[in-house]
Amino acid sequence: QKEVEQNSGPLSVPEGAIASLNCTYSDRGSQSFFWYRQYSGKSPELIMSIYSNGDKEDGRFTAQLNKASQYVSLLIRDSQPSDSATYLCAVKMGSSASKIIFGSGTRLSIRP
Amino acid sequence: DAGVIQSPRHEVTEMGQEVTLRCKPISGHNSLFWYRQTMMRGLELLIYFNNNVPIDDSGMPEDRFSAKMPNASFSTLKIQPSEPRDSAVYFCASSLGPGIHSNQPQHFGDGTRLSIL
């Protein structure tokens, strides 16, 4: 089992709809969770972080964490064409103070 | 604030040659990470340093790869000898490390696109 798993996509969502991206992780001791956005040919950029169970909202983005189910998700409301990118889930492993493992990413495409 | 700075941005060289990639982390960050990204394997952690000390190099593919961090503001990743399968984008990232800042995310440089012919 991979340490961090995501559906590779592509996930196609109509403009204005909600895009839902999912991620599961294997290390029960993990405490920190991040979502990065990566445009083609660019470096990953942090868009959300979450550390506690529940929802965390930032503008059009909502991160959801369920540690019991080892599941973290990212919702993008009112999807825009500029949201088309690959979204990487990253998890800081509980056994290591600094090591962060990235999922393989989900490619999101917003269709006009 | 300057972000993570990597050089060169692009490198094309012939197999067998030595390749050196460079990284300057964000000032004040004490954790530094080297990643490799390919279409097939995604983003792979190669090695990370905390306070200039290598903590985990289990992702380094083989002995041809080596990394150093002689001081808090500079790190290198070296491949010798290089092979075509090393072609990838190599990212350096930095973060505030363990302790009270242990929840801090990583900030990435623009990457080095490496092509080995």
Side-chain angles (χ1 to χ4, degrees):
Chain A
Q1 181 191 5
K2 287 185 180 178
E3 292 173 290
V4 180
E5 294 208 54
Q6 297 180 252
N7 274 332
S8 61
L11 175 65
S12 181
V13 173
E15 185 175 354
I18 295 175
S20 177
L21 305 163
N22 304 315
C23 172
T24 58
Y25 59 95
S26 61
D27 184 351
R28 280 200 169 275
S30 300
Q31 297 294 323
S32 307
F33 309 86
F34 309 96
W35 283 100
Y36 286 77
R37 177 177 61 201
Q38 187 175 24
Y39 292 114
S40 180
K42 300 295 185 182
S43 59
E45 57 177 324
L46 179 72
I47 53 172
M48 287 288 287
S49 58
I50 187 166
Y51 312 111
S52 306
N53 276 330
D55 295 0
K56 178 182 177 183
E57 188 175 314
D58 183 1
R60 295 186 297 110
F61 298 97
T62 299
Q64 299 175 317
L65 175 61
N66 184 326
K67 290 185 180 179
S69 300
Q70 295 173 243
Y71 173 93
V72 58
S73 65
L74 179 70
L75 302 178
I76 307 175
R77 288 183 301 282
D78 188 23
S79 297
Q80 303 295 310
S82 59
D83 295 327
S84 297
T86 296
Y87 289 80
L88 301 169
C89 171
V91 177
K92 181 169 280 190
M93 297 288 109
S95 60
S96 162
S98 293
K99 187 173 182 177
I100 294 180
I101 302 297
F102 284 76
S104 56
T106 298
R107 191 155 55 93
L108 175 65
S109 176
I110 307 300
R111 58 181 190 271
Chain B
D1 248 355
V4 176
I5 300 172
Q6 291 187 246
S7 65
R9 290 296 308 277
H10 303 273
E11 175 94 8
V12 180
T13 192
E14 293 186 346
M15 66 177 292
Q17 298 297 306
E18 177 178 293
V19 173
T20 300
L21 309 181
R22 297 173 176 79
C23 176
K24 177 179 167 55
I26 293 173
S27 178
H29 283 190
N30 58 354
S31 290
L32 182 139
F33 307 79
W34 282 102
Y35 289 92
R36 176 173 67 178
Q37 188 173 41
T38 61
M39 288 292 291
M40 290 295 294
R41 301 171 70 97
L43 194 63
E44 301 174 277
L45 176 64
L46 300 178
I47 185 171
Y48 79 94
F49 295 83
N50 186 249
N51 292 325
N52 312 339
V53 176
I55 302 300
D56 186 345
D57 65 354
S58 58
M60 296 286 262
E62 48 199 274
D63 292 346
R64 296 185 298 105
F65 285 69
S66 62
K68 293 183 180 179
M69 191 165 185
N71 57 60
S73 58
F74 184 65
S75 176
T76 59
L77 178 68
K78 189 173 292 187
I79 308 172
Q80 167 63 21
S82 57
E83 297 183 4
R85 60 195 168 113
D86 302 331
S87 298
V89 180
Y90 289 81
F91 287 107
C92 176
S94 71
S95 73
L96 290 169
I100 59 172
H101 301 298
S102 62
N103 285 336
Q104 293 299 310
Q106 297 178 5
H107 299 265
F108 283 75
D110 289 336
T112 294
R113 187 171 296 274
L114 177 64
S115 296
I116 308 297
L117 306 177

